[in-house]
Amino acid sequence: MNQEVPRVEVRSVVLGAGESYELRLTGRGARGYVWTWQVSGDADAVSVGETAPGRAARALPGETVERTYVVRGRRPGGRARIRFAQVRPPYPQEAPYDEFLLDVEVTGGA
């Protein structure tokens, strides 16, 4: 069985405390995939949340939908890595369909 290995994109950003960064990722919710995230490093240095899905709730079967996540700097001097992984929850043993790594450094104020 020849399974394609997903390409992992890595991006770095510097945020001031209280400053936010919007990240848009292509979703495949109509195909059963969801984006999950895990924060490593200084986990309290950042917060992560998804904005309202909007059009995603009306996606046609098989259609790709863009998802927007907001990362906010919280603690100056902190460094965190956020790993976004696109997975199908009913199949936790499967490798992610796609992955994205975001390295965040939090500086003084916004």
Side-chain angles (χ1 to χ4, degrees), residues 57-72:
R58 300 182 302 276
L60 298 174
E63 185 177 28
T64 60
V65 178
E66 192 173 79
R67 307 300 256 179
T68 303
Y69 299 88
V70 176
V71 176
R72 183 171 305 277

Side-chain angles (χ1 to χ4, degrees), residues 8 10 24 36 40 58 62 68 73 75-76 80 86-87 96-97:
V8 178
V10 180
R24 290 182 177 85
T36 61
S40 60
R58 300 182 302 276
T68 303
R75 186 174 56 77
Q86 195 171 44
V87 298
Y97 180 85

Side-chain angles (χ1 to χ4, degrees), residues 35-97:
W35 282 103
T36 61
W37 66 84
Q38 290 181 311
V39 181
S40 60
D42 299 325
D44 63 340
V46 297
S47 64
V48 182
E50 183 177 4
T51 63
R55 188 168 174 271
R58 300 182 302 276
L60 298 174
E63 185 177 28
T64 60
V65 178
E66 192 173 79
R67 307 300 256 179
T68 303
Y69 299 88
V70 176
V71 176
R72 183 171 305 277
R74 295 179 57 202
R75 186 174 56 77
R79 290 180 181 268
R81 170 169 271 191
I82 306 165
R83 176 185 176 259
F84 291 89
Q86 195 171 44
V87 298
R88 293 193 305 172
Y91 307 100
Q93 72 283 1
E94 284 185 1
Y97 180 85

